[in-house]
Amino acid sequence: MLDLIHARLEGAFGRERLQRVNRAQVVVIGAGLLGGQLLQHLAMLQVRTLIVDPGTVEPENIGNQGLPADRVGEPKARVRVSQMRELNPSCPVRGFEVPIEELGLGVLADADLILTGLDGRASRLTVARYAQQLGVDWIDAAVDGSGERLLGTISWFRPGVEEQPCYGCRHDAESLARITREERRAPCASWRDPRLPDTPPTLTASPFGALVAGWQMTWALQALLGEEDQNVGHQLQIAASGRPRTRTVALHRRADCLFPHQTLGPLQRLDGDGVEELLVRAKRDLGTAPSALLFPGRSLAVGLGCSVCGATMDLVKLAAEVSDAEASCSCSPGAERTPVVLTDRIEGATLDRLRGRSWSALGIPAEDLVSAESGERRIHYLLPSRSEGEAR
Ligand SMILES: [Zn+2]
Ligand SMILES: [Zn+2]
């Protein structure tokens, strides 16, 4: 039967184009209304797929996301992996049950295309940064989730190309700050919890979701096949309330965009989980010991101080991974320790103190990006993989 399926696809695509699709790797971020639709097509077309979604299947998802009612309470990424395998057992697929903010950049490093169907704009800013750093095409789709209007958009970004807009280009500093302020958790808890609050469920009915995702998937295939480049840097707008209409508009590059438009260039993969191993490798690659390590997009706590007794605690750890025990002081009930410094850059004596530590002990995610710096030079490393938080 598999031969028959393959023959039919080959008839539709042509052998060479089908091979190109089968060799590609696609990352789908958000496995809800839109993502679920995309995944069906990716399974049928046998595209190597990574699914990223931290959510679980909720009863209210059953009505519009194509998820089985008997799997309520299970991680959505895991359920989508099994749905894809039911459709096509030969399709290579992996699921990650974490928010995109907590995924190491290296997980996406071999991707040819990123597809998103996300609820919030703050998560899209993270995807924008990853796509930009890697220089990977990104096609984002959004639907009006209020349930009042049938409105959808699809935007195609191509990072690393001169004059192309990025997702950040449509925002000035004030609007970026507003997104971060409105969509992040309350400021008092934010140094330890970078995750986004749960967004209300999308109320769009599944047929319109299927329409938007179908169009997104059409662009996705064009991206994988290197066709229809005229849609790059454009947004397709679909309105189905009243008389249906579509239009395509050019997205504009902002001259003073706050997002870096350069890609990182080559990324070196590391084998060992120790800080020392990276420092030795970086010294060899740079020809001199690195003066600083950079953790783009991460927030590390360096030292914790009690606001009541003033005692400090020596610690370097990803802020989100600081435990309740570490964040509370025994001097008085409710006394809280807060970071002396929150930084994405470790240097000097602090850097020396980290020798002998492991990246996992510092709370840095597997396959995360760490850049070693010496003067003007930077070399970018991807930490090794671990197999936690992954749906198999
Ligand atoms: Zn930009
Ligand atoms: Zn204290």
Side-chain angles (χ1 to χ4, degrees):
M1 190 179 74
L2 285 173
D3 285 347
L4 191 70
I5 297 168
H6 200 79
R8 171 62 63 89
L9 283 173
E10 217 171 84
F13 278 86
R15 173 176 296 219
E16 222 167 281
R17 291 167 84 243
L18 182 62
Q19 280 176 349
R20 197 163 167 171
V21 170
N22 294 152
R23 273 197 306 266
Q25 186 182 81
V26 172
V27 182
V28 175
I29 304 168
L33 172 64
L34 299 170
Q37 294 281 340
L38 299 173
L39 294 169
Q40 282 186 46
H41 297 294
L42 292 165
M44 290 187 280
L45 295 167
Q46 202 163 312
V47 181
R48 291 185 297 143
T49 304
L50 306 182
I51 305 169
V52 184
D53 193 307
T56 48
V57 179
E58 305 291 343
E60 57 265 37
N61 298 149
I62 304 303
N64 71 345
Q65 296 192 1
L67 289 156
D70 63 355
R71 301 197 66 176
V72 167
E74 288 187 55
K76 229 182 240 185
R78 188 180 305 167
V79 175
R80 291 300 191 194
V81 167
S82 46
Q83 284 185 311
M84 284 185 74
R85 289 194 179 137
E86 274 171 31
L87 282 172
N88 182 353
S90 315
C91 186
V93 50
R94 289 169 71 189
F96 295 86
E97 301 160 12
V98 293
I100 184 64
E101 290 79 12
E102 290 176 26
L103 198 71
L105 180 75
V107 175
L108 313 183
D110 298 324
D112 298 291
L113 177 65
I114 297 173
L115 300 175
T116 44
L118 291 160
D119 296 324
R121 290 176 300 171
S123 293
R124 285 189 173 85
L125 291 176
T126 304
V127 177
R129 181 161 51 81
Y130 282 2
Q132 206 69 44
Q133 286 171 329
L134 294 169
V136 174
D137 270 28
W138 168 32
I139 301 175
D140 179 47
V143 289
D144 179 278
S146 68
E148 289 161 17
R149 297 166 302 175
L150 294 176
L151 279 180
T153 59
I154 298 153
S155 312
W156 185 347
F157 300 99
R158 179 160 292 167
V161 176
E162 199 69 25
E163 296 312 311
Q164 278 291 327
C166 80
Y167 178 79
C169 278
R170 69 180 86 170
H171 302 287
D172 58 14
E174 196 188 321
S175 116
L176 282 175
R178 199 166 47 239
I179 293 173
T180 315
R181 204 169 45 237
E182 282 170 8
E183 296 190 11
R184 301 269 165 194
R185 281 177 204 276
C188 55
S190 64
W191 74 267
R192 280 174 71 197
D193 196 348
R195 271 178 295 183
L196 300 167
D198 292 335
T199 41
T202 303
L203 294 177
T204 310
S206 56
F208 187 65
L211 175 69
V212 173
W215 219 315
Q216 183 184 17
M217 191 63 216
T218 303
W219 275 15
L221 275 174
Q222 291 168 348
L224 295 178
L225 292 167
E227 297 169 357
E228 303 294 345
D229 275 2
Q230 75 266 27
N231 292 327
V232 173
H234 284 69
Q235 182 177 71
L236 172 64
Q237 301 171 342
I238 305 163
S241 305
R243 199 179 293 283
R245 62 211 176 274
T246 61
R247 63 177 191 150
T248 309
V249 298
L251 299 167
H252 293 289
R253 176 156 178 157
R254 177 186 289 270
D256 59 347
C257 178
L258 295 164
F259 268 61
H261 275 223
Q262 316 89 311
T263 60
L264 290 176
L267 302 169
Q268 315 291 329
R269 285 200 181 262
L270 292 168
D271 294 327
D273 189 41
V275 176
E276 178 70 16
E277 280 151 301
L278 186 148
L279 291 174
V280 169
R281 170 80 178 273
K283 186 175 179 181
R284 199 173 68 213
D285 294 345
L286 288 162
T288 173
S291 54
L293 295 183
L294 284 77
F295 303 81
R298 300 288 175 216
S299 179
L300 282 89
V302 178
L304 291 178
C306 174
S307 51
V308 179
C309 70
T312 58
M313 177 186 181
D314 190 23
L315 168 142
V316 179
K317 205 170 187 182
L318 192 71
E321 294 294 317
V322 172
S323 67
D324 289 344
E326 287 164 333
S328 56
C329 184
S330 57
C331 69
S332 54
E336 204 204 337
R337 292 194 184 110
T338 54
V340 177
V341 178
L342 274 176
T343 182
D344 61 356
R345 181 185 181 89
I346 301 288
E347 55 197 334
T350 310
L351 185 54
D352 286 334
R353 287 213 314 277
L354 294 188
R355 287 177 182 276
R357 303 286 300 280
S358 71
W359 296 108
S360 30
L362 296 175
I364 309 291
E367 301 192 58
D368 214 14
L369 172 73
V370 182
S371 306
E373 184 181 87
S374 170
E376 299 281 285
R377 288 192 65 204
R378 275 185 196 175
I379 299 187
H380 308 290
Y381 297 96
L382 295 174
L383 303 182
S385 62
R386 296 166 225 143
S387 54
E388 57 200 59
E390 188 181 325
R392 288 189 177 273

